[in-house]
Amino acid sequence: MATMSDTAPFWNELAERYAAQPVADPAAFDRKIEITHAQMAPDHTVLDIGCGTGSLALRLAPKAARVHGLDISSEMLRIAGDKAKTAGIDNVEFHVGPFDASFDRLEPGSLDGICAYSILHLLDDRRAALTRIYELLRPGGFFVSSTVCLRESWIPFGPLLRVMRWLGKAPPVQLISKSQLAAEVDAAGFVERRSPDVGAKPTIEFMLAFKPR
């Protein structure tokens, strides 16, 4: 079975084209960021998992003391670093690597917030990742995620994705439902889970939850 680390070459090759593409749904993206900003304070430290070329991390930076971005693609992070430098943003630190047991750059309970936009459906072990997210947050910390839930669609994505992977056009994708994701977030220990309407496509689950105080 392929791991997230195994897909780094795929994302490295895609990086320049990915960076050149406009945001697919800018209105929904802006609304997600608005809701995320509302959870943040100037002294906060926040982690953006699967940060890609830094679009979200750089939008979060003005609202936080420190933002960490993590991605398996060194090419994505090279572009992210160039964007930060061009924008004069110096409170964002990017890290190359997977979000798994090997990620030890941040201490448990050290983060005020964690964002996982468009990443949970790509992780090899989502439950372990949610447990790790919970551990890294301080009591009362927030978790914001935006996840592709393809089981919500009538389209037969399973066979389609297998063909696309065979052609080298897609990474491994986990087919999950919104209810499954909600149950996993609850099982990890999060409370006050809710799904604000951001006007996204029906297959996108935007979720906000908190670690108990």
Side-chain angles (χ1 to χ4, degrees):
M1 178 183 294
T3 67
M4 274 296 286
S5 295
D6 295 333
T7 66
F10 171 86
W11 295 110
N12 283 337
E13 183 178 349
L14 185 65
E16 291 288 351
R17 283 173 288 153
Y18 181 89
Q21 293 176 350
V23 174
D25 190 342
F29 187 51
D30 287 347
R31 179 61 181 145
K32 294 172 190 177
I33 291 174
E34 179 184 343
I35 291 170
T36 305
H37 278 169
Q39 315 308 316
M40 297 173 64
D43 62 344
H44 276 185
T45 299
V46 175
L47 169 66
D48 179 16
I49 302 169
C51 66
T53 59
S55 296
L56 175 62
L58 299 178
R59 293 276 297 270
L60 298 181
K63 298 288 186 177
R66 194 75 179 165
V67 175
H68 294 272
L70 174 68
D71 203 277
I72 60 168
S73 169
S74 58
E75 280 300 296
M76 291 276 192
L77 293 187
R78 177 187 60 78
I79 295 170
D82 289 345
K83 288 163 65 173
K85 185 179 298 184
T86 298
I89 296 173
D90 59 5
N91 65 330
V92 177
E93 182 178 357
F94 294 110
H95 310 275
V96 180
F99 185 70
D100 57 20
S102 68
F103 181 69
D104 59 0
R105 298 173 180 85
L106 301 170
E107 294 295 324
S110 65
L111 296 172
D112 300 284
I114 295 179
C115 298
Y117 280 35
S118 300
I119 187 66
L120 292 180
H121 59 288
L122 300 177
L123 297 180
D124 308 314
D125 191 340
R126 195 170 49 257
R127 293 174 181 82
L130 289 168
T131 297
R132 180 66 172 143
I133 288 168
Y134 185 91
E135 292 171 347
L136 287 171
L137 286 171
R138 63 165 177 78
F142 68 88
F143 171 51
V144 181
S145 63
S146 181
T147 308
V148 177
C149 296
L150 293 180
R151 286 202 184 279
E152 305 296 322
S153 176
W154 58 268
I155 299 172
F157 276 110
L160 289 174
L161 286 168
R162 282 194 292 272
V163 171
M164 290 179 68
R165 283 186 60 193
W166 182 76
L167 294 172
K169 301 296 185 181
V173 176
Q174 306 294 322
L175 301 185
I176 59 176
S177 67
K178 294 180 180 181
S179 59
Q180 178 184 357
L181 179 62
E184 291 171 357
V185 170
D186 290 347
F190 290 97
V191 297
E192 300 180 50
R193 174 182 50 78
R194 52 186 182 270
S195 299
D197 182 6
V198 295
K201 295 187 297 185
T203 52
I204 303 296
E205 176 70 345
F206 182 70
M207 187 182 296
L208 172 66
F210 297 87
K211 183 172 181 175
R213 293 184 181 279

